[in-house]
Amino acid sequence: MISRSSQHAGGGLRICRIFTVWYWLVLAVARCCKRATRLSCIKAFAHSKPAIRLLMGLCFGIALSLVIAPFIEDHCARFLTPSARSVSYFPDDDGDYEPEIKPIPTVKDDGGKQPPIVRPRYLFTELGIKEKLFISVFTDAHSVETLGVAVNRTSNHLVQKLTFFMNGGQSSVLPQGLPVVTFSNNQSHMVPFHTIKYISDHYLNAYDWFYFQSDSTYMRADRLMDFVQHVSVAQNLLIGKPVETENEKVFTCDLEAGILLSQPVMAVVVNNLDWCIRNSMPGKSDARNLRTCLTRAAEDLNISCIDQVNELSYVYHTSQSLNLTSSMSESQLSDLSKAVAIGSFKNEPDFYRLHRLLSEYEMKLVRTQLDALVEEITKIAPLTPEGNKSLVWPIGITPPTKPLNRFDLIQWDYFTDTHIYFDDDFTNIRELKGVDKQDIQDIKSTALDRLNAKYEDRFPRMRLINGYRRFDAARGMEYILDLALFDRKSKNEIFKRVNLLRPLGDVEIVPMPYVTENARVNLLLPVRPGEKDDVLSFFDSYAQTCLKSGDNTYLFVVFIFESVNQEREDIYAVIKSTIAVYENRHRSGTRITWTSVQSAGADGTKLSYVVLDALAKKLSPESLVVRCTVGMELSIEFLNRARMNTIKGWQVFFPIGFWSYKPNLIYDQHPYPTKIEISSKSGRYDTRQYVHASFYVEDYLYAKRQLAGAGGVLGTVDLYDLFVQYHSLHVFRAVEPELRLQFHIHNCTGLVGRAQSDCQHSRAHSLAARSQLGMLIFEYQQKLDQMQLKVMQQQRGENVGQMKPEMLRKK
């Protein structure tokens, strides 16, 4: 029986033969038609000699095709596709061909819901991007206040994470601001192993490199960071000063010179931690026990301690070979500047002395490089399209912004020693104080120092005649000073104009702890007797925004009674019944409650603390509080930003809200809009208002304790000043477009200090914009003029009516 594939292959070869025959036939016909027209072609075949040639060619072609067909079978087969050579698409002669149907595989549905895919909030978390370097410093009670503080002051601001580790049983008082982790175990030889365990629990998968050193080692933090930036973390690397071990093939590292481990090596050290503890020697030092542990990890990975990677050298020096005086030669300072670590310091004065020498040397190198760059730019400038015009002082700094039109012009602010003029659109003159005064004093001092450096200390004193400053976002703060200088040589007063620039530095990302939008927000709403008519609209906004959407919030309403009669009459009875309605409507998840307090004569700042204390008693220290006011519009976006911008023990949030102007002054027709639109004609962002705040109860209680410890009185500072003056956390202040507030007259009674002046300023600017107020005054003046003309016309008419006819006749 012939298979389908063989049948199909034979059919293909037959087609190839027939094609060959017809090729010769068409060739002969073409030769015939070449000599005759299309209509006389048949006659040419019958009566002409070419007809005989045609028949002979036809016969010859058929015979030739039969002869050469076996030789071209293989050639034809090459033009068939592999599927055509192996599969037949035609049914057999003995039966019908039935195609095979392959069903689509189905997935069994167990009725369960697929869990949602939870992705990290930040991209670097999902991609597994890690921080670069974690530094561990071993210290003890005898050196933590001296060498430990010196290491922290010289290195902490240059690295990403630096932590000190010590035995907690040795000392109970630690230097303030020093990041120290203490262990309760009194065995000092266990400190390295407790440190490794702490790192494995908190930072093993968060950093690429781990560095260990003692507090007697001076670390060149900038050199160390540059070193790890140029070495691949994918390698198993143990870097430091090689030290021989019992195994001749393995070298370990010396702790005094600093030990740098890549993350894979650190993971092996963590896995061998139990072995390290069992083989530790109580009588030996931290360095010896850590060296034994690292040797074990190096043997497992078949590596050794090295001091050179990819043509990068880990340079180390000892302090014993140094003469730390100001007369060190340039070659000695050059060698020291290449070191990553300099070890074995006995006291902190030598530590700081070395840091100063190296810092001055580095600054000298930087100045030399800057001078070379300035010289090179000066030489290249004539070759540029703009020529020497492209040289803008100071050379190397971004040139000033070129305004496209008159609206892009940057305004210069005029100042003297005591006042600044026209620094914003709303102020003509303002007294210099705070950071502005410090800025002007610093600029004047810098100008005098630079002039004396240039003119050999000729000017012992000076006075400011005129001063100008402006901030250019492309380059920084620019100053122009007109100075009157007393000249020692001529004993006269000379005048000079100087230009100064405070350039912008590199933008740095401030590291912040990780927070999410899942925290519960406790909304605090104080209600005073004059606000009871407007509080119902806040309840509606809360129900629409939070209760129906299921947002994780809780509303605490605090009713303030200003007298005993108000409490006896229960002036808030209607509001309490409304709260009960909301509780019944959302019975499954009631998230609204109320309490009441007596003002007891307190007002303003003192009353705000009475309300906060009433809430703090009902909440745990880990609770997040957002202080609200009657008339604000709630939104999920604002609550989420409050969650993200408030970090326990790290940051509090004081948003700048958009306050609406008085409706009857800015709108001409009724009804007034119920929703607030952000525009310059409908309201303003009030930067003087600090009533809205987001903070944690624990931070609030800590600041109160600090205030009491300092002997301060709680009612003398508001909540903003409380966090600024009596807590070390960040106070974040930013414009919040989703915090929109209806107009109301600010009550400044009981406020003191800055809070009172800010309240009075807000009250003066809360009615309407200046252009709107000016138009209202203009329209009112027109109405007065029209009324006056009308009265004058009426009076004239009455006078004319009283006159006798002969008095009206013309003479």
Side-chain angles (χ1 to χ4, degrees):
M1 185 177 180
I2 302 174
S3 64
R4 293 186 180 184
S5 60
S6 60
Q7 290 179 358
H8 182 67
L13 292 176
R14 287 194 296 269
I15 294 172
C16 186
R17 293 170 186 170
I18 296 171
F19 171 77
T20 304
V21 173
W22 280 103
Y23 170 77
W24 288 100
L25 179 61
V26 171
L27 181 61
V29 173
R31 293 178 62 187
C32 173
C33 293
K34 204 170 184 181
R35 300 190 178 186
T37 62
R38 187 177 300 176
L39 296 177
S40 61
C41 200
I42 298 177
K43 183 177 180 181
F45 272 82
H47 301 282
S48 64
K49 292 181 179 180
I52 301 175
R53 296 176 182 177
L54 172 63
L55 294 176
M56 291 179 62
L58 182 61
C59 295
F60 178 76
I62 294 174
L64 184 61
S65 64
L66 295 176
V67 173
I68 66 175
F71 298 99
I72 64 175
E73 286 182 358
D74 297 335
H75 176 72
C76 290
R78 285 199 300 268
F79 291 96
L80 299 176
T81 61
S83 59
R85 291 195 296 265
S86 60
V87 181
S88 174
Y89 295 95
F90 302 98
D92 292 335
D93 295 337
D94 354 28
D96 295 335
Y97 170 73
E98 294 183 0
E100 180 183 359
I101 300 176
K102 295 182 178 180
I104 300 175
T106 58
V107 181
K108 295 183 178 180
D109 186 8
D110 55 358
K113 295 183 179 179
Q114 292 290 339
I117 299 176
V118 180
R119 297 185 61 185
R121 179 172 182 82
Y122 299 105
L123 186 60
F124 77 91
T125 305
E126 186 172 13
L127 296 178
I129 300 175
K130 303 175 183 177
E131 298 289 345
K132 185 57 68 175
L133 181 63
F134 180 89
I135 298 177
S136 305
V137 181
F138 298 118
T139 185
D140 54 40
H142 304 290
S143 61
V144 65
E145 296 183 359
T146 55
L147 293 175
V149 172
V151 172
N152 185 62
R153 288 180 176 177
T154 56
S155 303
N156 195 11
H157 61 287
L158 300 174
V159 297
Q160 294 173 332
K161 186 71 174 179
L162 185 146
T163 306
F164 292 80
F165 297 91
M166 63 178 292
N167 188 350
Q170 299 175 353
S171 175
S172 58
V173 180
L174 297 174
Q176 186 176 4
L178 194 70
V180 182
V181 176
T182 58
F183 305 113
S184 58
N185 195 328
N186 292 327
Q187 299 178 1
S188 59
H189 73 284
M190 295 293 293
V191 172
F193 309 126
H194 288 311
T195 301
I196 295 173
K197 182 64 170 61
Y198 178 86
I199 292 175
S200 67
D201 293 341
H202 298 87
Y203 302 109
L204 182 60
N205 296 319
Y207 288 86
D208 288 333
W209 295 93
F210 298 88
Y211 186 78
F212 296 91
Q213 72 163 60
S214 63
D215 57 1
S216 62
T217 301
Y218 174 74
M219 171 182 51
R220 299 292 310 282
D222 52 344
R223 291 285 181 185
L224 182 60
M225 288 296 298
D226 183 69
F227 186 89
V228 298
Q229 291 286 352
H230 292 82
V231 181
S232 173
V233 71
Q235 308 175 57
N236 296 327
L237 295 177
L238 181 61
I239 303 173
K241 179 184 177 182
V243 178
E244 295 182 355
T245 62
E246 298 177 356
N247 188 346
E248 297 180 355
K249 298 181 179 180
V250 177
F251 287 83
T252 188
C253 296
D254 186 9
L255 182 62
E256 288 297 322
I259 304 174
L260 183 62
L261 293 80
S262 61
Q263 199 274 342
V265 177
M266 189 64 192
V268 175
V269 174
V270 171
N271 294 334
N272 294 333
L273 187 58
D274 293 336
W275 181 92
C276 297
I277 295 175
R278 290 194 304 268
N279 291 271
S280 62
M281 293 174 284
K284 300 298 180 179
S285 63
D286 298 347
R288 181 62 181 273
N289 287 319
L290 181 61
R291 190 185 307 169
T292 303
C293 190
L294 295 179
T295 303
R296 172 70 181 219
E299 292 175 350
D300 292 345
L301 294 172
N302 194 21
I303 61 173
S304 291
C305 179
I306 57 177
D307 58 0
Q308 189 169 2
V309 184
N310 300 336
E311 300 181 356
L312 295 175
S313 298
Y314 184 91
V315 183
Y316 165 76
H317 290 283
T318 58
S319 60
Q320 287 80 3
S321 60
L322 302 178
N323 182 18
L324 299 177
T325 62
S326 58
S327 60
M328 293 183 67
S329 63
E330 290 287 332
S331 60
Q332 290 177 323
L333 290 174
S334 178
D335 293 339
L336 285 178
S337 65
K338 299 176 182 177
V340 178
I342 303 172
S344 303
F345 280 89
K346 302 300 182 182
N347 54 71
E348 73 276 15
D350 290 342
F351 205 98
Y352 291 122
R353 193 175 294 114
L354 174 64
H355 181 70
R356 178 177 178 177
L357 288 174
L358 291 177
S359 299
E360 291 177 348
Y361 179 74
E362 293 286 346
M363 290 175 61
K364 184 178 179 181
L365 291 180
V366 170
R367 291 193 183 99
T368 303
Q369 295 174 359
L370 290 176
D371 293 339
L373 289 174
V374 169
E375 184 178 356
E376 184 177 358
I377 293 173
T378 306
K379 291 180 179 179
I380 296 176
L383 306 177
T384 60
E386 297 181 358
N388 290 329
K389 293 182 179 180
S390 62
L391 289 177
V392 180
W393 182 90
I395 298 176
I397 302 296
T398 305
T401 303
K402 294 182 179 179
L404 300 178
N405 49 54
R406 62 189 181 89
F407 299 103
D408 294 335
L409 285 173
I410 302 177
Q411 176 182 334
W412 288 91
D413 300 330
Y414 176 78
F415 62 86
T416 61
D417 287 326
T418 57
H419 293 81
I420 186 169
Y421 298 81
F422 306 106
D423 61 331
D424 57 42
D425 295 335
F426 306 100
T427 307
N428 294 331
I429 183 173
R430 179 172 57 85
E431 182 183 359
L432 275 179
K433 58 183 179 180
V435 293
D436 290 326
K437 188 173 183 178
Q438 295 176 5
D439 176 49
I440 301 303
Q441 291 176 348
D442 180 59
I443 286 298
K444 290 166 55 181
S445 175
T446 302
L448 184 62
D449 293 341
R450 295 295 179 88
L451 289 172
N452 282 324
K454 183 177 180 180
Y455 295 100
E456 300 177 353
D457 294 333
R458 290 176 54 183
F459 311 116
R461 62 181 181 271
M462 71 171 186
R463 62 182 178 89
L464 177 65
I465 302 175
N466 299 307
Y468 308 89
R469 74 173 184 179
R470 71 172 185 177
F471 177 74
D472 190 340
R475 51 197 268 126
M477 186 72 80
E478 300 180 65
Y479 303 86
I480 299 176
L481 303 181
D482 294 331
L483 303 176
L485 303 164
F486 178 77
D487 189 3
R488 280 196 180 99
K489 292 184 177 180
S490 63
K491 305 299 181 180
N492 294 324
E493 199 174 48
I494 62 175
F495 301 93
K496 286 188 177 294
R497 166 169 286 191
V498 296
N499 290 7
L500 298 97
L501 173 68
R502 195 189 297 273
L504 295 175
D506 294 335
V507 178
E508 298 181 4
I509 299 177
V510 179
M512 300 293 288
Y514 180 78
V515 292
T516 64
E517 296 179 350
N518 301 324
R520 177 177 174 180
V521 177
N522 299 279
L523 302 175
L524 171 62
L525 180 65
V527 181
R528 306 189 66 170
E531 301 171 337
K532 60 182 181 179
D533 296 333
D534 301 326
V535 72
L536 297 181
S537 60
F538 184 91
F539 290 162
D540 293 338
S541 176
Y542 177 72
Q544 294 290 334
T545 305
C546 301
L547 294 182
K548 290 187 177 181
S549 63
D551 192 63
N552 190 12
T553 57
Y554 206 109
L555 176 60
F556 287 87
V557 182
V558 180
F559 298 116
I560 300 173
F561 292 100
E562 297 178 351
S563 64
V564 180
N565 293 332
Q566 291 181 352
E567 188 173 7
R568 187 183 302 112
E569 297 174 0
D570 196 4
I571 60 176
Y572 300 110
V574 176
I575 302 177
K576 294 177 182 178
S577 61
T578 305
I579 294 176
V581 172
Y582 283 111
E583 290 177 348
N584 295 329
R585 187 180 303 171
H586 303 276
R587 188 179 299 274
S588 59
T590 303
R591 296 192 297 272
I592 181 171
T593 186
W594 62 270
T595 186
S596 59
V597 296
Q598 278 280 356
S599 63
D603 204 350
T605 305
K606 294 182 180 180
L607 182 60
S608 66
Y609 286 116
V610 173
V611 175
L612 289 173
D613 291 340
L615 177 64
K617 295 177 182 178
K618 297 179 178 294
L619 298 177
S620 63
E622 294 77 18
S623 300
L624 173 62
V625 177
V626 174
R627 188 168 66 174
C628 306
T629 58
V630 175
M632 66 178 288
E633 297 180 0
L634 289 174
S635 68
I636 297 296
E637 290 79 7
F638 166 64
L639 297 177
N640 286 337
R641 273 192 281 271
R643 294 183 176 102
M644 298 297 295
N645 293 328
T646 310
I647 306 172
K648 185 176 66 174
W650 190 274
Q651 180 173 283
V652 294
F653 181 41
F654 282 82
I656 301 175
F658 185 84
W659 293 77
S660 174
Y661 290 137
K662 194 173 183 181
N664 63 340
L665 298 181
I666 61 176
Y667 297 112
D668 297 331
Q669 299 178 353
H670 289 275
Y672 301 139
T674 57
K675 295 293 183 180
I676 301 174
E677 294 184 1
I678 296 181
S679 68
S680 59
K681 297 181 179 180
S682 62
R684 60 189 288 266
Y685 286 104
D686 195 345
T687 58
R688 298 290 191 94
Q689 282 293 322
Y690 300 87
V691 64
H692 301 94
S694 176
F695 57 91
Y696 279 88
V697 175
E698 182 178 352
D699 295 330
Y700 167 70
L701 296 178
Y702 175 81
K704 280 185 59 180
R705 292 193 298 268
Q706 293 296 109
L707 173 65
V713 181
L714 193 62
T716 57
V717 293
D718 63 351
L719 185 63
Y720 178 80
D721 290 332
L722 179 69
F723 283 118
V724 170
Q725 300 177 16
Y726 299 99
H727 208 302
S728 58
L729 45 67
H730 297 272
V731 179
F732 183 49
R733 190 103 163 104
V735 169
E736 177 50 62
E738 294 299 327
L739 178 57
R740 308 181 185 187
L741 303 109
Q742 299 288 347
F743 169 81
H744 81 278
I745 300 177
H746 299 284
N747 183 11
C748 303
T749 306
L751 300 178
V752 294
R754 179 197 54 78
Q756 184 179 20
S757 61
D758 289 342
C759 180
Q760 293 174 351
H761 181 276
S762 299
R763 184 169 182 170
H765 293 79
S766 63
L767 294 176
R770 292 195 301 175
S771 59
Q772 294 170 330
L773 292 176
M775 183 60 67
L776 290 173
I777 294 175
F778 177 74
E779 293 176 354
Y780 182 73
Q781 186 65 41
Q782 283 186 327
K783 292 181 180 179
L784 288 180
D785 294 342
Q786 292 176 359
M787 292 176 60
Q788 188 175 3
L789 289 174
K790 187 176 182 180
V791 170
M792 292 175 62
Q793 291 176 357
Q794 290 178 353
Q795 292 178 351
R796 182 176 180 277
E798 293 177 356
N799 294 335
V800 170
Q802 294 175 1
M803 295 176 68
K804 296 180 179 180
E806 57 273 11
M807 298 176 63
L808 297 176
R809 295 175 184 171
K810 295 181 180 181
K811 295 183 180 180

